[in-house]
Amino acid sequence: MGRNILGILALFAEEGTIEDPVGSITEKASVGLPRLVSALPENASFTLDTPIRTSHDLSGAAFAMTVELIWDGKPMKIHSIDVMQFNKQGLITEMKAYYGPSNNHISPITLDSNCAVKPKLLSFLLIPDYLSL
């Protein structure tokens, strides 16, 4: 999956923030997204686990997803629930990714050292518009 950071940033309002994961720092999307996106391994994959749920007035949305990647040479799955808020123009004003240690599942199978990576996670890349970037 190619990662068009400018295309992803275009989905955020200028004042948009990210907190990934919740409990870490909240930062401006324009600062945090480039760092997080560039840290993802190219082999990371994202699967939508539930339909995207929206608020009645379309000011917010939430979905459950799974990120699969290689961490320290081992296959890993991270289950996350992402929640977003939107302004009246439909741009993301806030993105929060809910996951923690109990949501990370490392396979006992060890891969060769060529597959070892230590990525930061950016779970909201699953939004359909992001998949084509």
Side-chain angles (χ1 to χ4, degrees):
M1 166 180 17
R3 294 195 173 76
N4 177 344
I5 293 173
L6 292 177
I8 295 169
L9 283 172
L11 299 173
F12 279 79
E14 186 176 333
E15 72 280 3
T17 62
I18 62 171
E19 186 179 358
D20 188 348
V22 168
S24 65
I25 63 169
T26 299
E27 56 189 331
K28 284 193 68 150
S30 60
V31 174
L33 284 174
R35 178 179 48 76
L36 291 170
V37 171
S38 65
L40 278 172
E42 284 297 318
N43 66 354
S45 65
F46 302 85
T47 304
L48 186 61
D49 297 331
T50 63
I52 296 172
R53 308 289 188 200
T54 62
S55 61
H56 181 71
D57 64 357
L58 302 179
S59 65
F63 55 89
M65 60 173 284
T66 300
V67 180
E68 294 186 66
L69 49 88
I70 306 300
W71 187 291
D72 286 336
K74 296 179 182 176
M76 183 175 194
K77 289 185 180 183
I78 298 148
H79 302 283
S80 177
I81 296 176
D82 287 21
V83 178
M84 298 187 190
Q85 298 297 315
F86 304 95
N87 64 18
K88 292 189 185 301
Q89 292 74 40
L91 297 174
I92 301 166
T93 58
E94 178 181 78
M95 187 285 299
K96 292 185 175 200
Y98 291 85
Y99 61 92
S102 67
N103 308 114
N104 302 337
H105 305 284
I106 300 174
S107 168
I109 300 170
T110 302
L111 301 178
D112 65 53
S113 62
N114 292 330
C115 295
V117 294
K118 290 185 177 183
K120 292 267 186 175
L121 302 175
L122 182 63
S123 55
F124 70 89
L125 289 175
L126 182 64
I127 290 179
D129 289 344
Y130 293 161
L131 291 176
S132 64
L133 298 176

